[in-house]
Amino acid sequence: MKFGGSSVGGVEPLRNVVALTSNCASANDVVVVASAMNGVTNSLIQAATRASQRDEKHVTEVTEHLRTIHENVCEQLITKTDEFKKQTMVRLDLELRELKKALTGISYLGELTPRSRDYVLSFGEKLSTLILAGALHDSGVRVQRLTGEEAGIVTDASFGEATPLMHITQQKVKEKLCPLIENRKMPVVTGFIAATEDGVPTTLGRGGSDYTATIIGSALDADEVWIWTDVDGIMTADPRIEHTAQTIREISFMEAMEMSHFGAKAMHPRALEPAAKIGLPVRVKNAFNPNGPDTLILQDQRIKSVNIVKAVASVREASMVTVSGEGMHGAPGTAAKVLDALGKDDVNVLMISQSSSEANISLVIARSNLERAISALRELSLKESLFKEITSEADVSIVAAVGTGMRGTPGIAARLFRAVADEGVNVKMIAQGSSELNVSFVVREDDVLKSVHALHEEFRLGD
Ligand code: ADP
Ligand code: ASP
Ligand code: MG
């Protein structure tokens, strides 16, 4: 069972987590994975950046703020055993001192490496799981709190988005967790964080606690992985922007992965890989409405639904860059050179399209990468005079319709574009994967809500 940031983000939510896990643990063996408390990872990112700008005052402010929120929750939550409350407070204090030392070091050096950034980020989950383990213990559950590293998760050294070394991880997770489970001690594991083979802390990318849960679930050959979040499962659109969104009761791994790639935050994009590989069912449930509808993610062939389009997703805060020039026509390797230049500057390309005249290539990237992308392309253009012009549009979004039923069904794209055109939305770029699992297109940021509503209605997803 994995609990997200909002599920562990305060006294009441944590009481709820204790109730949910202890109820389930009476009839099942449960491993708990928890995220950092709501907003803590963002605060840590900001703290690391400000420290690297030598802002020492902020280092003190942030560590004191984190101390206050964690100690307050601990104080109110662990009430039965004073001794255990004290122990948890001491451990929180040790972690917070470590964090302050790390941030102070960064502020002295005025430098933040991806490696030290991951170390700073690892504190969010370390703090939240200390409290959760304390609260479970306080309510009479035998628990053992472990970091991702202690639970056996080993990754490569791609800091910020590390990849688990599955072979060794599977073996280690079994070695570390099985004896605890056999001893009827519930493991409470930090999500999101792991370590290299040499023990250097790494993180699995934003939202990576989902990934921790499926890595552990697959290593232990669990019956199911349950992702507890703050909405009723995976929905036909983000319920924050589409009020008529409904829970998708069953969805295939492929569809769910496609949705997460296109911005459905409900699931980390790579989290489903370990589960899909062995057909381990993943259930997404609402911790604040545990008896409400939920989503079961299964292998393709086990899905009964015949909906053509299952969900509409969107990626906000994107930018579009276009390089153009007659010289690109028939020049082999242009696209490769463009992607290579961007890749070298760490700019991830979300979408690419080339006109058949070959006179231009358009790319969609995260808005935060726009300046870096333009300077990489300018440099390439100076070196190779590949194209004449680089133009960009800073505020665009990607909208995607997802569903296996689209495969081989004619006329879907026509319906889709008619629906958005009727709303007066101008489509700037279109892509369809060869899997035909999704059709995605780019619109002005201001048009994204209109587009999501139009598609949601056209395919009657709110019914
Ligand atoms: P957690 O902290 O539990 O991991 P996240 O914030 O990462 O939660 O993901 C849950 C959020 O994802 C929801 O609050 C919701 O606003 C957003 N979301 C976006 N698209 C979808 C979707 N299609 N279905 C469900 N939730 C979605
Ligand atoms: N705390 C991490 C994040 O905010 C991981 C997670 O929540 O899954 O990205
Ligand atoms: Mg998440």
Side-chain angles (χ1 to χ4, degrees), residues 2-7 35-36 38 207 209-210 227-241 248 259 263-267 311-313:
K2 173 259 170 176
F3 293 91
S6 48
S7 317
S35 296
N38 244 355
S209 303
D210 299 333
I227 306 286
W228 290 96
T229 184
D230 58 356
V231 291
D232 290 344
I234 298 183
M235 307 189 74
T236 51
D238 184 346
R240 285 188 209 178
I241 61 172
I248 303 172
M259 280 180 72
K265 221 187 139 198
M267 181 65 69
V312 186

Side-chain angles (χ1 to χ4, degrees), residues 43-45 47-48 99 102-103 106 112 115-124 126 201:
S43 300
L44 291 169
I45 292 175
L99 169 64
L103 289 170
I106 291 167
L112 178 65
R115 173 175 166 160
S116 44
R117 187 175 184 271
D118 269 4
Y119 181 57
V120 170
L121 295 199
S122 72
F123 284 91
K126 285 195 262 191

Side-chain angles (χ1 to χ4, degrees), residues 101-322:
K101 267 196 242 161
L103 289 170
T104 308
I106 291 167
S107 74
Y108 280 152
L109 291 171
E111 187 195 33
L112 178 65
T113 61
R115 173 175 166 160
S116 44
R117 187 175 184 271
D118 269 4
Y119 181 57
V120 170
L121 295 199
S122 72
F123 284 91
E125 272 69 10
K126 285 195 262 191
L127 294 168
S128 67
T129 48
L130 280 178
I131 297 179
L132 176 56
L136 280 161
H137 185 95
D138 199 44
S139 74
V141 183
R142 277 163 47 81
V143 293
Q144 171 79 48
R145 180 267 199 179
L146 304 106
T147 61
E149 180 187 13
E150 288 163 348
I153 304 178
V154 182
T155 69
D156 65 8
S158 319
F159 298 103
E161 194 90 37
T163 300
L165 308 177
M166 280 311 273
H167 210 65
I168 160 163
T169 294
Q170 298 227 328
Q171 207 182 324
K172 281 194 153 204
V173 168
K174 258 193 234 135
E175 274 169 26
K176 306 260 178 157
L177 300 192
C178 287
L180 292 174
I181 297 168
E182 276 155 24
N183 261 320
R184 306 221 55 78
K185 251 191 163 181
M186 184 196 285
V188 175
V189 184
T190 58
F192 181 53
I193 62 176
T196 63
E197 278 184 281
D198 302 328
V200 181
T202 54
T203 61
L204 302 172
R206 291 309 303 271
S209 303
D210 299 333
Y211 206 1
T212 305
T214 56
I215 293 167
I216 293 178
S218 85
L220 296 180
D221 201 12
D223 296 322
E224 286 191 5
V225 171
W226 288 17
I227 306 286
W228 290 96
T229 184
D230 58 356
V231 291
D232 290 344
I234 298 183
M235 307 189 74
T236 51
D238 184 346
R240 285 188 209 178
I241 61 172
E242 177 55 63
H243 299 301
T244 65
Q246 301 290 320
T247 300
I248 303 172
R249 303 306 292 255
E250 286 190 342
I251 189 167
S252 70
F253 283 109
M254 295 281 280
E255 289 169 321
M257 282 189 216
E258 205 78 12
M259 280 180 72
S260 60
H261 281 297
F262 282 102
K265 221 187 139 198
M267 181 65 69
H268 177 284
R270 280 151 64 207
L272 291 173
E273 283 167 19
K277 212 165 165 190
I278 57 166
L280 163 62
V282 176
R283 218 177 259 282
V284 185
K285 294 178 76 71
N286 188 349
F288 302 98
N289 182 21
N291 299 319
D294 62 8
T295 302
L296 182 59
I297 312 176
L298 291 167
Q299 271 164 335
D300 216 5
Q301 60 275 22
R302 294 178 57 192
I303 301 288
K304 293 185 287 280
S305 156
V306 289
N307 274 5
I308 298 171
V309 169
K310 245 188 191 160
V312 186
S314 58
V315 181
R316 315 284 285 270
E317 297 185 5
S319 296
M320 188 162 103
V321 183
T322 303

